[in-house]
Amino acid sequence: MNQTERAQPKKDVIIVGTGIAGSLIAKLLTDHVFDTEAKKMIHRAEMSDAKTYRELSILMYEAGLEAGLELDSASSMTNYNGYIRKFYMEEAKVPNSPYPDLKQAPSPNVLDMQPIVPPFPDKKGYLVQFGPMPFASDAIRVGGGTTLHWLGTTPRMLPNDFRLKKKYGRAMDWPVDYHTLKPYYEMAEFEIGVSGNVAAQEYPIKESMEEYYGKDYVFPMDEIPQSYMDQQIIKGLKGTSVQLNFEDIPLTLVPSPQGRNSTPNTAYGKAKLIKATPSDSGYTLSLANIEHEEYKALGAIWNPYQGERCEGNASCVPICPVQAKYNALKTLKKALYKVNKNENLQRNPHIQVQAQSVVYKLSVDPANRDKISKVHLRKYFSQEKTDFAEEVIETNDSIVILAANAFENPKILLNSKYTVVENGQKVEKTVANRSDQVGRNLMDHMVMLTWGLFPDPIYSYRGPGSTTNISSFRDGNFRSEFSAWISPLDNWGWAWPAFSPGSDLSEFLNAGLFGQDLKEALAHRLSRQVLFHFEIEQLPNPNNRVTINDQYLDVLGIPRPVINYELTEYEMRAMEQAKMASDQMFERLGIEDFTKYNATDNNTFVYHNVRYSYNGAGHIVGTHRMGDNPDDSVTDSYCKAWDHPNLYIVGAGNMTTLGTSNPTLTLAAFTIRSVESILKDLENILK
């Protein structure tokens, strides 16, 4: 083990993580240069041959393997095809199954999760789970981050999601409102390449769709067609309602906006770029047209003409074989390769991405207790070996950006201790944690599944994982008493709750069916399987948290995330109400209910003498929340740490509350907005 400290040359910006947050920031920063005469940041499109510009020097660290970041056409195709082959060979097709299982940079895996028996924690996987409930979601530490295995669903948050305290007396309000984030949602939808139909959206909000989206706004691409199953359910539920909490709630089923390629929408117009312009407060980002270029879907990173359209492979989670689904490697490649004067892609020499590098702590400048002065990491040499080199980079004149997931960001911060003298006494502190909120307020969507057999064939297992959602329960007065939820209709039959179709085959073989009898039994059941999916909002709870403990280290000697996690009655009651809604919809549709929750399930509880079980949605948020006040939040609304002028902490951990939408689009929106503040800080450093 080589523990010799090696110094890196100084950089303007250091970014930890190559997921969507880190890649967005890298792409947007490399799109801009510093005008040395005007002393301002400008977009590359405005560069003149008559002026002198300074390029930003950027260093990114990725904990995953080097191969995951080789984005030239040949290497990226070879590596991604390796992911696909691994997926085919794995018996359990869980979200992490296609990707390297690294002992040097381990990831939480749903296969490792099991019930907790107090007082001992569950230590089977990467997470050390003290519970009382196991945290049920995973993530992946690989180039591109967890966008490699996300489903790709991209609804925006609703206006009331940002003001739960003001509206319903619950949780804490965001430091920004929906109107503030609205232009950044448009930028995020452009960068991800969202397919959808604005005119078909309908939500339980007081704003009209024109107010919510903007007059004449359209998504970049047309909607992915709703599945035949969706169409039959829509037909059966049209014009009906369910009764919850003594009120009738009309059922509204809408096509889901998605980050996957379809046909470019002619009304969207030209291709666009995200451009910063100076403003009174610093910089403002906006979308600008590229007049000579039509908008096109962006295909695979190795070949832009493959994956230009979704092919309906149905394996969106865990992997899209053709990369029609967005992943952050597409954005990262735009940072690493720029179009030169000859309209060819050229490697950008001013950005370096160093893989197999696990950042584990930050240091604070002894002479200036507010400034982050060093980033410490351990670089391992191969997937097979655990030896590593200790590396450090000086950051006194740099912007440091933590852009890892909501487990890793707080883990790094909590491991970054420093001492100050207050009132003559030495006091130990941790970076960015004046509020004591680092690691707290861990949230996820609790996914309650209900499943049954439709009276007629509806042909599951076709197309993307989900193309329609029930939006009726995303907001309402009931939120003062129990959680809101969104209900995607899943096109995967009973695969998630019952491991179909393999379990069906096993059942029928054990019953003695063979030949034509077996084929008919499988066709009869598999063609009629229906799965309803209730993603239930969880409120921030300071007791749900990520901590560290030197008793629990990984093979590099870095603390593992220690998880404390529980549900409140607010969420349990929502599950009860969601099951009531499911029962009413199943009855109306004539679905034979096969839903069964068992005491042996990993995540199960009894509420009002009825058992409920749930899964994780993979929506890991809330461990370094943004806010208006440094006493109860970790960052401001631009994701800048209250305590350190050169530190930004970005990602899903910034989310103040969760709402009912998949978090990726929202975290992309506020990450894009954070670049305005980063550009201002860089201007002050460079001029």
Side-chain angles (χ1 to χ4, degrees):
M1 178 169 55
N2 178 6
Q3 297 192 57
T4 303
E5 187 171 286
R6 299 192 303 180
Q8 279 269 11
K10 289 185 177 180
K11 301 287 183 179
D12 296 321
V13 181
I14 295 93
I15 302 173
V16 180
T18 64
I20 187 169
S23 295
L24 275 170
I25 290 174
K27 187 260 183 185
L28 293 173
L29 291 182
T30 55
D31 281 347
H32 293 82
V33 296
F34 184 66
D35 184 332
T36 56
E37 292 180 17
K39 307 296 183 185
K40 293 288 182 185
M41 306 297 301
I42 68 164
H43 195 277
R44 288 181 177 277
E46 299 175 331
M47 292 174 67
S48 163
D49 291 338
K51 282 194 170 187
T52 303
Y53 304 98
R54 185 190 184 289
E55 296 271 1
L56 296 176
S57 61
I58 298 174
L59 172 61
M60 302 182 76
Y61 287 120
E62 167 55 48
L65 295 177
E66 185 75 37
L69 295 173
E70 294 172 343
L71 301 185
D72 62 280
S73 295
S75 299
S76 60
M77 183 174 67
T78 299
N79 186 65
Y80 199 79
N81 283 340
Y83 293 162
I84 295 170
R85 284 193 297 273
K86 186 173 184 293
F87 166 61
Y88 290 155
M89 297 298 292
E90 292 289 334
E91 181 179 353
K93 311 297 187 186
V94 296
N96 286 2
S97 59
Y99 308 105
D101 182 14
L102 303 174
K103 50 182 174 286
Q104 305 90 340
S107 299
N109 192 315
V110 294
L111 296 178
D112 294 327
M113 295 166 194
Q114 56 192 24
I116 298 165
V117 181
F120 305 105
D122 167 25
K123 298 181 290 183
K124 181 183 175 185
Y126 173 51
L127 303 179
V128 180
Q129 302 234 35
F130 276 86
M133 301 291 287
F135 190 81
S137 281
D138 60 10
I140 188 70
R141 296 166 79 185
V142 67
T146 306
T147 56
L148 286 185
H149 73 48
W150 72 316
L151 177 57
T153 308
T154 55
R156 299 181 184 184
M157 290 179 71
L158 303 181
N160 283 343
D161 294 336
F162 295 91
R163 53 193 185 211
L164 281 183
K165 181 72 172 177
K166 180 179 179 180
K167 183 72 176 176
Y168 302 115
R170 292 287 180 173
M172 172 178 164
D173 292 340
W174 286 57
V176 293
D177 58 14
Y178 173 78
H179 179 76
T180 301
L181 271 193
K182 187 174 169 183
Y184 305 96
Y185 270 128
E186 295 178 13
M187 295 179 218
E189 285 161 351
F190 158 70
E191 181 60 35
I192 290 173
V194 169
S195 299
N197 183 356
V198 168
Q201 301 304 302
E202 188 176 349
Y203 308 130
I205 58 177
K206 65 181 181 62
E207 294 85 358
S208 68
M209 286 299 99
E210 185 170 293
E211 292 174 302
Y212 180 73
Y213 280 107
K215 184 175 173 58
D216 300 325
Y217 182 73
V218 297
F219 293 122
M221 286 179 277
D222 295 336
E223 73 175 62
I224 301 288
Q226 293 169 287
S227 68
Y228 178 77
M229 180 195 79
D230 293 352
Q231 295 171 32
Q232 299 310 301
I233 292 173
I234 291 168
K235 185 166 67 174
L237 295 178
K238 185 175 181 180
T240 67
S241 61
V242 299
Q243 188 174 60
L244 297 180
N245 203 35
F246 307 108
E247 67 171 315
D248 283 330
I249 299 179
L251 291 172
T252 305
L253 290 85
V254 300
S256 299
Q258 303 179 53
R260 56 177 45 81
N261 292 334
S262 68
T263 305
N265 189 335
T266 55
Y268 191 70
K270 301 291 183 180
K272 294 172 172 54
L273 53 82
I274 301 174
K275 174 182 171 184
T277 53
S279 65
D280 293 340
S281 59
Y283 290 89
T284 300
L285 291 174
S286 60
L287 276 177
N289 285 337
I290 304 175
E291 294 301 334
H292 65 278
E293 188 176 324
E294 296 298 320
Y295 177 82
K296 294 194 304 184
L298 180 59
I301 52 175
W302 59 84
N303 180 355
Y305 302 106
Q306 182 175 354
E308 284 191 290
R309 304 290 183 269
C310 172
E311 298 179 4
N313 283 291
S315 62
C316 315
V317 178
I319 192 167
C320 175
V322 297
Q323 287 197 346
K325 182 186 70 174
Y326 171 84
N327 69 67
L329 293 175
K330 296 185 180 186
T331 297
L332 183 62
K333 187 162 186 176
K334 295 177 188 176
L336 296 178
Y337 292 85
K338 299 297 182 185
V339 177
N340 61 23
K341 292 181 180 180
N342 297 321
E343 299 295 316
N344 294 319
L345 281 181
Q346 183 175 353
R347 180 65 169 84
N348 177 6
H350 305 285
I351 179 170
Q352 174 189 354
V353 187
Q354 182 174 311
Q356 297 173 203
S357 300
V358 184
V359 172
Y360 68 97
K361 72 174 181 178
L362 310 176
S363 289
V364 177
D365 188 346
N368 179 354
R369 291 297 184 183
D370 292 336
K371 185 167 283 191
I372 302 300
S373 61
K374 294 179 181 178
V375 171
H376 301 261
L377 65 121
R378 290 176 177 162
K379 180 172 173 57
Y380 59 95
F381 302 108
S382 73
Q383 186 172 352
E384 293 75 28
K385 297 180 180 180
T386 58
D387 55 330
F388 62 86
E390 190 83 18
E391 292 188 8
V392 63
I393 182 168
E394 301 283 342
T395 62
N396 270 312
D397 299 319
S398 307
I399 304 294
V400 178
I401 301 168
L402 294 186
N405 64 45
F407 292 135
E408 300 304 316
N409 275 349
K411 190 185 81 172
I412 294 168
L413 294 170
L414 292 170
N415 199 41
S416 303
K417 297 178 173 60
Y418 64 106
T419 303
V420 299
V421 177
E422 293 181 351
N423 300 320
Q425 300 291 321
K426 288 185 177 181
V427 179
E428 187 176 72
K429 296 191 173 185
T430 54
V431 165
N433 202 20
R434 181 195 338 180
S435 62
D436 190 33
Q437 296 302 308
V438 169
R440 294 189 184 272
N441 308 301
L442 175 65
M443 293 173 276
D444 191 9
H445 282 124
M446 295 158 298
V447 179
M448 188 186 77
L449 303 174
T450 60
W451 58 100
L453 289 179
F454 208 76
D456 303 305
I458 41 82
Y459 306 110
S460 307
Y461 303 96
R462 302 192 305 177
S466 180
T467 47
T468 298
N469 71 82
I470 305 172
S471 63
S472 310
F473 312 101
R474 294 190 62 191
D475 194 24
N477 292 330
F478 61 83
R479 292 179 89 174
S480 62
E481 300 181 44
F482 56 85
S483 302
W485 66 81
I486 192 170
S487 290
L489 303 181
D490 283 355
N491 293 320
W492 289 321
W494 298 355
W496 194 352
F499 307 106
S500 292
S503 59
D504 304 290
L505 176 61
S506 178
E507 177 188 337
F508 294 144
L509 286 174
N510 288 336
L513 298 183
F514 293 95
Q516 188 63 30
D517 291 340
L518 177 61
K519 289 172 62 177
E520 289 177 358
L522 286 170
H524 182 262
R525 177 178 289 182
L526 297 177
S527 66
R528 299 188 301 130
Q529 288 182 352
V530 173
L531 179 65
F532 278 27
H533 175 161
F534 299 83
E535 291 189 3
I536 294 166
E537 178 183 25
Q538 185 168 34
L539 293 186
N541 176 351
N543 296 322
N544 288 347
R545 62 189 303 195
V546 178
T547 60
I548 58 173
N549 187 317
D550 287 342
Q551 293 182 58
Y552 309 109
L553 305 178
D554 65 20
V555 297
L556 297 186
I558 299 171
R560 294 158 57 188
V562 176
I563 309 298
N564 291 271
Y565 186 72
E566 63 185 359
L567 306 186
T568 67
E569 185 171 4
Y570 185 79
E571 290 112 21
M572 292 181 185
R573 188 174 177 206
M575 220 167 290
E576 174 190 64
Q577 297 293 312
K579 185 60 169 67
M580 290 170 58
S582 176
D583 290 345
Q584 293 173 61
M585 290 187 287
F586 273 27
E587 182 179 4
R588 201 155 297 145
L589 292 165
I591 294 173
E592 182 183 359
D593 196 348
F594 278 70
T595 306
K596 186 176 182 181
Y597 307 129
N598 302 307
T600 54
D601 293 342
N602 288 342
N603 304 79
T604 188
F605 62 90
V606 174
Y607 182 68
H608 289 164
N609 297 316
V610 178
R611 179 168 298 283
Y612 301 92
S613 297
Y614 67 94
N615 298 274
H619 300 164
I620 309 163
V621 311
T623 52
H624 45 83
R625 70 183 180 192
M626 65 169 70
D628 283 320
N629 189 327
D631 292 332
D632 61 12
S633 58
V634 180
T635 76
D636 66 12
S637 67
Y638 288 92
C639 306
K640 186 173 183 177
W642 290 111
D643 301 355
H644 310 285
N646 65 332
L647 176 63
Y648 286 79
I649 311 163
V650 298
N654 291 96
M655 294 182 69
T656 311
T657 56
L658 179 53
T660 56
S661 56
N662 308 55
T664 302
L665 184 75
T666 296
L667 82 86
F670 64 66
T671 296
I672 291 169
R673 183 174 180 268
S674 76
V675 172
E676 296 178 347
S677 179
I678 296 168
L679 288 171
K680 178 62 176 176
D681 287 350
L682 286 168
E683 177 196 305
N684 292 333
I685 291 171
L686 297 176
K687 70 182 180 182

PDB file of all heavy atoms in Angstrom, residues 508 513-527:
ATOM      1  N   PHE A 508     -45.811 -23.233 -12.626  1.00  0.00           N
ATOM      2  CA  PHE A 508     -46.542 -24.122 -13.531  1.00  0.00           C
ATOM      3  C   PHE A 508     -45.795 -25.441 -13.749  1.00  0.00           C
ATOM      4  O   PHE A 508     -46.414 -26.503 -13.886  1.00  0.00           O
ATOM      5  CB  PHE A 508     -46.817 -23.423 -14.859  1.00  0.00           C
ATOM      6  CG  PHE A 508     -47.764 -22.257 -14.740  1.00  0.00           C
ATOM      7  CD1 PHE A 508     -47.589 -21.108 -15.516  1.00  0.00           C
ATOM      8  CD2 PHE A 508     -48.837 -22.291 -13.861  1.00  0.00           C
ATOM      9  CE1 PHE A 508     -48.456 -20.043 -15.410  1.00  0.00           C
ATOM     10  CE2 PHE A 508     -49.713 -21.221 -13.750  1.00  0.00           C
ATOM     11  CZ  PHE A 508     -49.519 -20.090 -14.517  1.00  0.00           C
ATOM     12  N   LEU A 513     -47.285 -28.947 -15.423  1.00  0.00           N
ATOM     13  CA  LEU A 513     -47.658 -28.507 -16.772  1.00  0.00           C
ATOM     14  C   LEU A 513     -46.458 -28.568 -17.702  1.00  0.00           C
ATOM     15  O   LEU A 513     -45.364 -28.116 -17.352  1.00  0.00           O
ATOM     16  CB  LEU A 513     -48.212 -27.082 -16.724  1.00  0.00           C
ATOM     17  CG  LEU A 513     -49.488 -26.862 -15.904  1.00  0.00           C
ATOM     18  CD1 LEU A 513     -49.955 -25.422 -16.022  1.00  0.00           C
ATOM     19  CD2 LEU A 513     -50.590 -27.816 -16.348  1.00  0.00           C
ATOM     20  N   PHE A 514     -46.674 -29.098 -18.918  1.00  0.00           N
ATOM     21  CA  PHE A 514     -45.633 -29.170 -19.926  1.00  0.00           C
ATOM     22  C   PHE A 514     -46.256 -28.907 -21.295  1.00  0.00           C
ATOM     23  O   PHE A 514     -47.483 -28.944 -21.458  1.00  0.00           O
ATOM     24  CB  PHE A 514     -44.951 -30.553 -19.924  1.00  0.00           C
ATOM     25  CG  PHE A 514     -44.152 -30.828 -18.681  1.00  0.00           C
ATOM     26  CD1 PHE A 514     -44.721 -31.524 -17.620  1.00  0.00           C
ATOM     27  CD2 PHE A 514     -42.844 -30.385 -18.561  1.00  0.00           C
ATOM     28  CE1 PHE A 514     -44.000 -31.777 -16.465  1.00  0.00           C
ATOM     29  CE2 PHE A 514     -42.105 -30.641 -17.406  1.00  0.00           C
ATOM     30  CZ  PHE A 514     -42.687 -31.328 -16.354  1.00  0.00           C
ATOM     31  N   GLY A 515     -45.394 -28.644 -22.279  1.00  0.00           N
ATOM     32  CA  GLY A 515     -45.852 -28.521 -23.655  1.00  0.00           C
ATOM     33  C   GLY A 515     -46.899 -27.453 -23.852  1.00  0.00           C
ATOM     34  O   GLY A 515     -46.792 -26.331 -23.335  1.00  0.00           O
ATOM     35  N   GLN A 516     -47.933 -27.797 -24.615  1.00  0.00           N
ATOM     36  CA  GLN A 516     -48.971 -26.838 -24.953  1.00  0.00           C
ATOM     37  C   GLN A 516     -49.692 -26.317 -23.712  1.00  0.00           C
ATOM     38  O   GLN A 516     -50.047 -25.138 -23.639  1.00  0.00           O
ATOM     39  CB  GLN A 516     -49.985 -27.480 -25.919  1.00  0.00           C
ATOM     40  CG  GLN A 516     -51.011 -26.517 -26.500  1.00  0.00           C
ATOM     41  CD  GLN A 516     -50.374 -25.425 -27.348  1.00  0.00           C
ATOM     42  OE1 GLN A 516     -49.329 -25.638 -27.964  1.00  0.00           O
ATOM     43  NE2 GLN A 516     -50.993 -24.247 -27.358  1.00  0.00           N
ATOM     44  N   ASP A 517     -49.903 -27.183 -22.726  1.00  0.00           N
ATOM     45  CA  ASP A 517     -50.567 -26.742 -21.493  1.00  0.00           C
ATOM     46  C   ASP A 517     -49.749 -25.657 -20.792  1.00  0.00           C
ATOM     47  O   ASP A 517     -50.296 -24.675 -20.279  1.00  0.00           O
ATOM     48  CB  ASP A 517     -50.778 -27.923 -20.551  1.00  0.00           C
ATOM     49  CG  ASP A 517     -51.810 -28.910 -21.071  1.00  0.00           C
ATOM     50  OD1 ASP A 517     -52.625 -28.509 -21.930  1.00  0.00           O
ATOM     51  OD2 ASP A 517     -51.804 -30.067 -20.619  1.00  0.00           O
ATOM     52  N   LEU A 518     -48.447 -25.835 -20.778  1.00  0.00           N
ATOM     53  CA  LEU A 518     -47.573 -24.840 -20.143  1.00  0.00           C
ATOM     54  C   LEU A 518     -47.609 -23.526 -20.913  1.00  0.00           C
ATOM     55  O   LEU A 518     -47.716 -22.448 -20.317  1.00  0.00           O
ATOM     56  CB  LEU A 518     -46.145 -25.381 -20.073  1.00  0.00           C
ATOM     57  CG  LEU A 518     -45.076 -24.438 -19.509  1.00  0.00           C
ATOM     58  CD1 LEU A 518     -45.400 -24.053 -18.075  1.00  0.00           C
ATOM     59  CD2 LEU A 518     -43.690 -25.077 -19.590  1.00  0.00           C
ATOM     60  N   LYS A 519     -47.542 -23.612 -22.229  1.00  0.00           N
ATOM     61  CA  LYS A 519     -47.578 -22.393 -23.048  1.00  0.00           C
ATOM     62  C   LYS A 519     -48.878 -21.629 -22.842  1.00  0.00           C
ATOM     63  O   LYS A 519     -48.890 -20.407 -22.704  1.00  0.00           O
ATOM     64  CB  LYS A 519     -47.409 -22.752 -24.531  1.00  0.00           C
ATOM     65  CG  LYS A 519     -46.009 -23.222 -24.903  1.00  0.00           C
ATOM     66  CD  LYS A 519     -45.938 -23.755 -26.331  1.00  0.00           C
ATOM     67  CE  LYS A 519     -46.285 -22.683 -27.343  1.00  0.00           C
ATOM     68  NZ  LYS A 519     -46.145 -23.187 -28.722  1.00  0.00           N
ATOM     69  N   GLU A 520     -49.986 -22.338 -22.790  1.00  0.00           N
ATOM     70  CA  GLU A 520     -51.279 -21.676 -22.624  1.00  0.00           C
ATOM     71  C   GLU A 520     -51.409 -21.047 -21.237  1.00  0.00           C
ATOM     72  O   GLU A 520     -51.941 -19.936 -21.094  1.00  0.00           O
ATOM     73  CB  GLU A 520     -52.404 -22.683 -22.864  1.00  0.00           C
ATOM     74  CG  GLU A 520     -52.540 -23.099 -24.319  1.00  0.00           C
ATOM     75  CD  GLU A 520     -53.611 -24.160 -24.532  1.00  0.00           C
ATOM     76  OE1 GLU A 520     -54.217 -24.598 -23.512  1.00  0.00           O
ATOM     77  OE2 GLU A 520     -53.826 -24.561 -25.694  1.00  0.00           O
ATOM     78  N   ALA A 521     -50.913 -21.730 -20.213  1.00  0.00           N
ATOM     79  CA  ALA A 521     -50.981 -21.177 -18.857  1.00  0.00           C
ATOM     80  C   ALA A 521     -50.135 -19.915 -18.745  1.00  0.00           C
ATOM     81  O   ALA A 521     -50.564 -18.910 -18.146  1.00  0.00           O
ATOM     82  CB  ALA A 521     -50.514 -22.215 -17.842  1.00  0.00           C
ATOM     83  N   LEU A 522     -48.940 -19.940 -19.324  1.00  0.00           N
ATOM     84  CA  LEU A 522     -48.079 -18.759 -19.285  1.00  0.00           C
ATOM     85  C   LEU A 522     -48.695 -17.608 -20.067  1.00  0.00           C
ATOM     86  O   LEU A 522     -48.705 -16.457 -19.608  1.00  0.00           O
ATOM     87  CB  LEU A 522     -46.694 -19.099 -19.842  1.00  0.00           C
ATOM     88  CG  LEU A 522     -45.792 -19.949 -18.944  1.00  0.00           C
ATOM     89  CD1 LEU A 522     -44.556 -20.412 -19.705  1.00  0.00           C
ATOM     90  CD2 LEU A 522     -45.379 -19.172 -17.696  1.00  0.00           C
ATOM     91  N   ALA A 523     -49.208 -17.892 -21.259  1.00  0.00           N
ATOM     92  CA  ALA A 523     -49.814 -16.834 -22.081  1.00  0.00           C
ATOM     93  C   ALA A 523     -51.017 -16.220 -21.375  1.00  0.00           C
ATOM     94  O   ALA A 523     -51.205 -14.998 -21.392  1.00  0.00           O
ATOM     95  CB  ALA A 523     -50.221 -17.397 -23.441  1.00  0.00           C
ATOM     96  N   HIS A 524     -51.809 -17.069 -20.729  1.00  0.00           N
ATOM     97  CA  HIS A 524     -53.009 -16.577 -20.055  1.00  0.00           C
ATOM     98  C   HIS A 524     -52.644 -15.646 -18.896  1.00  0.00           C
ATOM     99  O   HIS A 524     -53.251 -14.592 -18.710  1.00  0.00           O
ATOM    100  CB  HIS A 524     -53.831 -17.757 -19.539  1.00  0.00           C
ATOM    101  CG  HIS A 524     -55.110 -17.348 -18.873  1.00  0.00           C
ATOM    102  ND1 HIS A 524     -55.231 -17.241 -17.506  1.00  0.00           N
ATOM    103  CD2 HIS A 524     -56.319 -16.994 -19.392  1.00  0.00           C
ATOM    104  CE1 HIS A 524     -56.458 -16.855 -17.196  1.00  0.00           C
ATOM    105  NE2 HIS A 524     -57.139 -16.704 -18.327  1.00  0.00           N
ATOM    106  N   ARG A 525     -51.615 -16.029 -18.130  1.00  0.00           N
ATOM    107  CA  ARG A 525     -51.276 -15.201 -16.964  1.00  0.00           C
ATOM    108  C   ARG A 525     -50.435 -13.988 -17.350  1.00  0.00           C
ATOM    109  O   ARG A 525     -50.740 -12.855 -16.961  1.00  0.00           O
ATOM    110  CB  ARG A 525     -50.526 -16.023 -15.920  1.00  0.00           C
ATOM    111  CG  ARG A 525     -50.104 -15.159 -14.715  1.00  0.00           C
ATOM    112  CD  ARG A 525     -49.406 -15.943 -13.633  1.00  0.00           C
ATOM    113  NE  ARG A 525     -50.324 -16.823 -12.933  1.00  0.00           N
ATOM    114  CZ  ARG A 525     -49.961 -17.597 -11.909  1.00  0.00           C
ATOM    115  NH1 ARG A 525     -48.692 -17.598 -11.508  1.00  0.00           N
ATOM    116  NH2 ARG A 525     -50.845 -18.368 -11.303  1.00  0.00           N
ATOM    117  N   LEU A 526     -49.371 -14.193 -18.108  1.00  0.00           N
ATOM    118  CA  LEU A 526     -48.435 -13.100 -18.365  1.00  0.00           C
ATOM    119  C   LEU A 526     -49.071 -11.976 -19.181  1.00  0.00           C
ATOM    120  O   LEU A 526     -48.721 -10.806 -19.009  1.00  0.00           O
ATOM    121  CB  LEU A 526     -47.192 -13.626 -19.082  1.00  0.00           C
ATOM    122  CG  LEU A 526     -46.350 -14.636 -18.292  1.00  0.00           C
ATOM    123  CD1 LEU A 526     -45.185 -15.142 -19.133  1.00  0.00           C
ATOM    124  CD2 LEU A 526     -45.843 -14.025 -17.000  1.00  0.00           C
ATOM    125  N   SER A 527     -49.995 -12.316 -20.044  1.00  0.00           N
ATOM    126  CA  SER A 527     -50.625 -11.286 -20.880  1.00  0.00           C
ATOM    127  C   SER A 527     -51.610 -10.427 -20.106  1.00  0.00           C
ATOM    128  O   SER A 527     -52.044  -9.385 -20.592  1.00  0.00           O
ATOM    129  CB  SER A 527     -51.339 -11.940 -22.069  1.00  0.00           C
ATOM    130  OG  SER A 527     -52.440 -12.721 -21.623  1.00  0.00           O
TER     131      SER A 527
END
